[in-house]
Amino acid sequence: MQKMGTDDGRGGDHQSDVVETESIGSDRVPYSGPLSGPLNKRGGRRSARFNLADSAGGDDEQYVEITLDVRDDSVAVHSVKPAAGGDAEDPEVTLLARTLEKRSGSIGSSVIRSASSRIRQVSQELKRLASFTKRPGPGRLDRSKSAATHALKGLKFISKTDGAAGWLAVEKRFDELAVDGALPRSLFGQCIGMKESNEFAGELFDALARKRNIIGDSITKVELREFWDQISDQSFDSRLQTFFDMVDKNADGRITEVEVKEIILMSASANKLSKIQEQAEEYARLIMEELDPNNLGYIEIYNLEMLLLQGPSQSIRGGTTNSRNLSQMLSQKLKPTEEPNPLRRGYQRTRYFLEDNWKRVWVLALWLAICAGLFAWKFMQYRQRAVYHVMGYCVCVAKGGAETLKFNMALILLPVCRNTITWLRNKTKLGAALPFDDNLNFHKVIAVGIAVGVGLHAISHLTCDFPRLLHASDAAYEPMKPFFGDTRPNNYWWFVKGTEGWTGITMVVLMTIAFVLATPWFRRGRIGLPKPLNRLTGFNAFWYSHHLFVIVYILLIIHGIFLYLSHQWYKKTTWMYLAIPMIVYGTERLIRAFRSSVRPVKILKVAVYPGNVLSLHVTKPQGFKYRSGQYIFVNCAAVSPFQWHPFSITSAPQDDYLSVHIRTLGDWTRQLKTVFSRVCQRPADGKSGLLRADYDGHASSPIPSLPRVLIDGPYGAPAQDYKNYEVVLLVGLGIGATPFISIVKDIANNMKQLESEGLLDSEGDRDLEGGVGGDDGSSSSKRAGGSSQRHGGTTFRTRRAYFYWVTREQGSFEWFRGVMNEVAETDKKGMIELHTYCTSVYEEGDARSALIAMLQSLNHAKHGVDVVSGTRVKSHFARPHWRNVYKRIALNHRDQRIGVFYCGAPTLTKELRQLAHDFSRKTTTKFDFNKENF
């Protein structure tokens, strides 16, 4: 590929034409390999660049990039666009493009087979066609505005704003770190801001030192300033030379395979990519094959430049001028603007809050109203009794708190009746008004209500009404004799030793233990306690302490029977509150025990993956039906016969097996991995996992050495509602990808089924990415949904899925490598977009990941496999820019409702939810945010 820059100037009767050519490739060493495509054999694309600046425009130059398709016998215009990526459409550029398109056919017949002669003729033709504008004098082409822009971004040692301005911070760090006026090599990375990449910074130090013939492992401040000026130079040639010098360790101007391997190992180490380190020799050979086709044994700087400039063709570039304009308009609309009127601002925020949380609001309002009503009712009831004249308002508060306590102790069981909730959300329409996804959050809110009720009841009794009773006069005590006996109690021990006393105190102690150990600090093990107190942290402590509720409920019923102030049975209402919830909850536990025992499962496969992940594949019990996005409980008696833990199902409903992927994050999961690791062996060639055990499906019994596993479920989860949307955005962090793996497989399977039955509108669905279905703004995915409804043969609505999987470790991609490859191969229509991100790799554009990006492009083009993920899905570096993700979906699917489903650490929840709210309020696309809760 060649680029021709043409600057024409006219001043009076004088005219000068200058052709400026950038050689991106080289005629000295022909380029071969997968990236070249038909370039070597049948021609290729050439880009011509024109300076269209008017003479009155001063120094403000504007370039246009013209890309040509050059074949042996023809030349065609591929595209004409501003080189700097401007959004405005220049009328001169448009006219030039149309003229060239009309003449491209005639150009081809006049060119000869010689590539250099053909390009010269095209250059002259382009100059003649572009001569309708006035030009200033000949100028130099700015490579930062050419197609090298992407390559320029791919060699960023520091950010653009850290140049001269950043020197002050570097100088300050030098003064702090320097020893006897010199900066050691070991502290160079910390000084220039590469503290986390000391090895890479060391190689950069060596390259810069070699260039200046500096001997030794330290530099002065003057030399550091020279180093800084070079690495902060924003020009492409300077960055390219710096990177080349890092690889060329003997400074002979040539890079050998050994030097390539060393820089690959260093780059892989800096980005924590162990798999690439293991295959460094293979990848070094791949680079040499591509850049040294003549087997010279070395490559030069122009070969490296060619590889960098080929990179942009592998990525998606900006869309049409129309889409760019829409994107700009949307960005402008999404800029936060503060409402100056405080009343309107308050109203607006309240309205937005109610729109987003109305289900939660009405449920909480109803709950608070019931609690307040019960408290007021019991308070007024005791206000009218004789006991009030002795104990005062204290007894009224105590009895009001007790009434709310009874109600909440009954209610707290219902949010954890998972079978009932799953049945309600699957079989009824109550999900439209009840926030079933917040069942555990509501469980926690009720727990706070119980704590308040206990406080009102216990504190009022112990500090107020009991002391008043002890110090009452004989005359005042007379009405109390039917309740407390003929003799007035003379100390606190009288109250404690009674049934009402010891049951109440015991309940408070047990509930306090359960409440404290259920807090995130103890449950997640965030508090470091010394031995043996460290056993109070972790999931095991939470699980066992929570089951103290069995004792608490027994004591609560006893406490409610032996009351001081109520003797009639119908006034002892504790059992009335608890009866139905306890029956429902007890039935649920019996169903779990019965269902798991009568529907045994056999283990088909066990695999231990990098990142401490255990994969279990078991047989699907007869009659076991589930939806993608749901989860099951797993029990392993070899670890604990009592504990059941929830895990998302990763298999699709159409699969003939059930699978879960379990990450070791706590006590139980750690022991489970240990138990299964003992019976696993290293996998055979071609099979995934660090350890593995497979079961022969033709056998009649499970593997005898494997522990017995029980499952219970399935249970409903927010992700199962993805089928209600035509377009879904699935976001998984680390192991949080598990529910979406099942969903992605399910979507792919349903798409294949619809296509085989002729129910899929191939033309409409193919255009989903464009998002615009006509002048009315309707999208093609909406038409696709309508098409399925017309056929009436399916209730599956989803026609487009965007899956983003973000993980820290390269080894994590091995968990679902088979699924990702299967979906990428079967999804011929591109209905499912798979995006994988490895956050251990520095962002695209950072020099520390530049070589990884080159390897990625080469290997993916030649073998179709990504070097980072090991799948057919090309991975991205660092973290996604979530605002851009939302913006792109909003542009592609206007006037539609998008289902956003997230599973992962809570840190990202706020950002994704806020973006969903912002785009829903300020665009025609509505985003419904849903988060998984366990």
Side-chain angles (χ1 to χ4, degrees), residues 219-398:
I219 55 175
T220 64
K221 183 184 290 188
V222 175
E223 292 169 334
L224 176 64
R225 181 59 192 260
E226 293 181 11
F227 284 18
W228 180 258
D229 289 340
Q230 180 170 344
I231 62 178
S232 62
D233 191 336
Q234 300 297 315
S235 69
F236 173 69
D237 292 323
S238 176
R239 292 186 183 183
L240 178 64
Q241 186 64 56
T242 302
F243 188 77
F244 184 86
D245 291 341
M246 289 182 64
V247 187
D248 183 22
K249 295 191 175 182
N250 57 7
D252 62 352
R254 297 174 176 178
I255 301 176
T256 63
E257 185 173 336
V258 174
E259 291 173 322
V260 172
K261 178 182 176 181
E262 290 179 1
I263 198 69
I264 289 176
L265 286 171
M266 185 267 295
S267 296
S269 175
N271 291 280
K272 302 175 183 177
L273 299 175
S274 57
K275 298 290 184 182
I276 293 181
Q277 287 180 282
E278 296 171 2
Q279 298 176 272
E281 187 173 348
E282 175 187 342
Y283 290 139
R285 193 180 309 116
L286 173 64
I287 289 179
M288 296 302 294
E289 288 175 0
E290 295 302 317
L291 301 185
D292 180 29
N294 293 339
N295 296 321
L296 299 177
Y298 61 85
I299 57 178
E300 298 182 78
I301 191 168
Y302 68 86
N303 300 113
L304 189 61
E305 177 184 5
M306 178 176 58
L307 179 60
L308 283 169
L309 294 175
Q310 288 285 352
S313 63
Q314 302 299 315
S315 61
I316 300 174
R317 295 206 179 183
T320 63
T321 302
N322 185 43
S323 64
R324 288 196 301 269
N325 290 340
L326 286 172
S327 179
Q328 276 194 342
M329 291 169 59
L330 187 58
S331 297
Q332 187 69 24
K333 193 174 182 180
L334 288 169
K335 286 184 177 179
T337 56
E338 187 74 12
E339 171 62 49
N341 189 317
L343 294 178
R344 290 182 179 177
R345 185 166 63 248
Y347 166 76
Q348 190 179 59
R349 290 176 178 175
T350 302
R351 181 167 62 87
Y352 286 155
F353 177 80
L354 292 176
E355 287 177 357
D356 298 332
N357 302 281
W358 67 270
K359 290 183 183 180
R360 300 184 182 97
V361 168
W362 85 261
V363 170
L364 286 177
L366 178 62
W367 174 69
L368 289 172
I370 293 175
C371 290
L374 290 172
F375 182 88
W377 168 62
K378 191 59 69 170
F379 184 96
M380 295 306 298
Q381 186 182 81
Y382 273 80
R383 176 69 177 77
Q384 306 299 324
R385 294 182 62 174
V387 70
Y388 168 74
H389 300 289
V390 178
M391 298 183 174
Y393 285 106
C394 303
V395 71
C396 300
V397 172

Side-chain angles (χ1 to χ4, degrees), residues 4 19 119-129:
M4 296 163 289
V19 178
I119 296 303
R120 282 197 298 272
Q121 290 189 25
V122 173
S123 173
Q124 295 297 326
E125 182 69 11
L126 293 174
K127 282 199 302 176
R128 188 182 68 78
L129 292 173

Side-chain angles (χ1 to χ4, degrees), residues 15-300:
Q15 176 179 339
S16 64
D17 295 335
V18 177
V19 178
E20 178 175 290
T21 304
E22 288 188 68
S23 178
I24 295 175
S26 177
D27 294 331
R28 289 175 290 176
V29 182
Y31 183 77
S32 66
L35 288 180
S36 62
L39 182 59
N40 297 323
K41 300 178 181 179
R42 299 181 56 193
R45 267 180 205 157
R46 314 283 192 222
S47 287
R49 319 190 89 251
F50 291 87
N51 186 327
L52 297 180
D54 193 275
S55 59
D59 297 331
D60 185 14
E61 295 185 351
Q62 182 181 1
Y63 291 88
V64 61
E65 182 173 351
I66 302 175
T67 305
L68 303 178
D69 285 326
V70 181
R71 300 288 183 250
D72 289 339
D73 56 352
S74 67
V75 178
V77 176
H78 180 266
S79 66
V80 180
K81 58 184 178 181
D87 295 327
E89 189 169 348
D90 195 318
E92 293 181 334
V93 176
T94 304
L95 178 60
L96 176 61
R98 292 174 180 172
T99 308
L100 287 172
E101 288 169 0
K102 292 178 181 178
R103 300 180 59 91
S104 60
S106 61
I107 295 175
S109 59
S110 62
V111 295
I112 60 177
R113 289 183 177 275
S114 170
S116 60
S117 175
R118 179 166 65 248
I119 296 303
R120 282 197 298 272
Q121 290 189 25
V122 173
S123 173
Q124 295 297 326
E125 182 69 11
L126 293 174
K127 282 199 302 176
R128 188 182 68 78
L129 292 173
S131 63
F132 56 82
T133 58
K134 295 182 179 181
R135 312 287 182 195
R140 174 173 173 76
L141 177 65
D142 183 3
R143 286 166 70 92
S144 66
K145 293 182 178 180
S146 69
T149 303
H150 283 267
L152 186 68
K153 293 178 180 178
L155 284 175
K156 183 175 64 176
F157 291 93
I158 60 171
S159 64
K160 189 173 182 180
T161 58
D162 285 348
W167 168 248
L168 296 176
V170 174
E171 186 178 24
K172 181 179 179 181
R173 287 193 290 265
F174 175 89
D175 295 335
E176 296 173 354
L177 300 173
V179 179
D180 297 330
L183 179 72
R185 177 183 182 273
S186 59
L187 298 177
F188 178 69
Q190 183 177 349
C191 187
I192 65 173
M194 286 188 179
K195 185 177 181 180
E196 298 178 354
S197 306
N198 285 327
E199 185 179 358
F200 185 91
E203 294 293 338
L204 179 60
F205 178 96
D206 295 340
L208 297 171
R210 282 195 302 268
K211 197 72 173 179
R212 292 162 178 78
N213 296 319
I214 297 176
I215 301 175
D217 288 340
S218 61
I219 55 175
T220 64
K221 183 184 290 188
V222 175
E223 292 169 334
L224 176 64
R225 181 59 192 260
E226 293 181 11
F227 284 18
W228 180 258
D229 289 340
Q230 180 170 344
I231 62 178
S232 62
D233 191 336
Q234 300 297 315
S235 69
F236 173 69
D237 292 323
S238 176
R239 292 186 183 183
L240 178 64
Q241 186 64 56
T242 302
F243 188 77
F244 184 86
D245 291 341
M246 289 182 64
V247 187
D248 183 22
K249 295 191 175 182
N250 57 7
D252 62 352
R254 297 174 176 178
I255 301 176
T256 63
E257 185 173 336
V258 174
E259 291 173 322
V260 172
K261 178 182 176 181
E262 290 179 1
I263 198 69
I264 289 176
L265 286 171
M266 185 267 295
S267 296
S269 175
N271 291 280
K272 302 175 183 177
L273 299 175
S274 57
K275 298 290 184 182
I276 293 181
Q277 287 180 282
E278 296 171 2
Q279 298 176 272
E281 187 173 348
E282 175 187 342
Y283 290 139
R285 193 180 309 116
L286 173 64
I287 289 179
M288 296 302 294
E289 288 175 0
E290 295 302 317
L291 301 185
D292 180 29
N294 293 339
N295 296 321
L296 299 177
Y298 61 85
I299 57 178
E300 298 182 78

